[in-house]
Amino acid sequence: MDELTGAPADVTALTEEGLLAVWEAGRGQDPVRRALVLAAAGGGDPAAVADLAVGRREELVLGLRVRCFGPGLPCAVTCPSCRTELELELTAQDVTAAAPEGERVVRAGGFELAFRPVTTRDLLAVRGAPRAAARRALLRRVLTSAVADGRPVAADALPADVLEAVAGALAALDPQSDVRLDLDCAECGHAWTSPFDASGYLWAELDAHARRLLHDVHALATAYGWTEAEVLAVGPERRQLYLELVTA
């Protein structure tokens, strides 16, 4: 068990037992730590996944989703203008952006600032602070150097507007960390941009799938006295036939 992600280090996420183990590790976690659990299950090193760029973490999550449930991503969204509910059929390719870059430099107010992508460890470090303070702390964490007139400058000494130049460039540095979909309503023609959260999407699916599995286990264990392992050892098609017999 990894201390930070809470995920079993040896989980095989493509089996039903493995999916239940991932679900159990993610239950009760906040969305940021839950994303780490999913990324570790998707092939990330549990000891190092928190230090990956957020976009790379989301790549792992999206890869896990494709392997577990396929490349199709059915979505429902509500038009913010006319409130019509729209159904979308996306694919993993539709929500895949460029890989994160290692570092970038911007110039603002006479300063030259080098910075890296945000990691999950950064997000955890500023969690709980007031929003404005958390934003400043996050921007300072991603700075790798700041120079003015050829001299290094401490992150704490940078003016607020200079730090904001870093904020404006972060999304371009790691596009996969902030995927946005351009949508338009077939009813009223309104166009808008909506975020896509791969970790949140997969967790909703995984939670529903795990609860269905547990329902099946309960029904068949009650009817036949099987253990959870014995129920899950029965393939999904045969299991469904047993469930139909139990409920007939």
Side-chain angles (χ1 to χ4, degrees):
M1 184 79 71
D2 179 72
E3 183 177 345
L4 184 57
T5 66
D10 60 348
V11 67
T12 304
L14 301 183
T15 67
E16 290 182 325
E17 294 91 340
L19 285 172
L20 284 175
V22 174
W23 174 76
E24 186 175 12
R27 284 193 73 213
Q29 300 274 22
D30 62 78
V32 175
R33 287 184 177 272
R34 191 180 297 149
L36 287 179
V37 172
L38 296 175
D45 179 355
V49 70
D51 296 308
L52 296 175
V54 170
R56 176 56 183 147
R57 183 198 74 193
E58 292 299 273
E59 286 176 8
L60 292 168
V61 172
L62 193 55
L64 175 65
R65 197 277 170 192
V66 170
R67 293 196 299 276
C68 291
F69 300 114
L73 304 170
C75 298
V77 297
T78 301
C79 172
S81 178
C82 69
R83 311 308 299 173
T84 298
E85 185 169 292
L86 308 172
E87 294 184 358
L88 306 176
E89 286 294 332
L90 302 175
T91 67
Q93 189 62 36
D94 293 328
V95 294
T96 299
E101 299 177 25
E103 192 172 276
R104 181 169 289 186
V105 174
V106 295
R107 293 170 178 81
F111 294 86
E112 183 178 281
L113 311 170
F115 59 99
R116 57 169 175 77
V118 175
T119 69
T120 308
R121 194 176 300 278
D122 294 326
L123 298 176
L124 292 172
V126 304
R127 188 179 52 175
R131 184 170 181 174
R135 181 183 176 87
R136 288 193 300 272
L138 185 64
L139 293 174
R140 290 174 181 138
R141 284 182 64 91
V142 301
L143 276 175
T144 55
S145 68
V147 177
D149 297 326
R151 297 179 180 178
V153 180
D156 291 344
L158 292 172
D161 60 331
V162 172
L163 272 178
E164 283 303 312
V166 173
L170 277 173
L173 182 65
D174 188 6
Q176 191 68 56
S177 69
D178 187 26
V179 173
R180 304 247 164 200
L181 301 173
D182 293 325
L183 305 176
D184 59 83
C185 179
E187 294 295 321
C188 71
H190 178 71
W192 76 101
T193 301
S194 179
F196 179 84
D197 175 9
S199 294
Y201 185 98
L202 175 55
W203 179 256
E205 288 185 307
L206 182 59
D207 185 58
H209 185 76
R211 291 178 185 277
R212 285 194 298 270
L213 277 178
L214 293 179
H215 177 272
D216 293 353
V217 169
H218 171 74
L220 294 179
T222 300
Y224 298 113
W226 295 344
T227 65
E228 179 181 89
E230 288 170 335
V231 172
L232 295 179
V234 177
E237 292 186 5
R238 272 196 299 146
R239 190 187 308 146
Q240 183 59 40
L241 292 174
Y242 279 118
L243 288 168
E244 290 174 3
L245 290 172
V246 168
T247 57

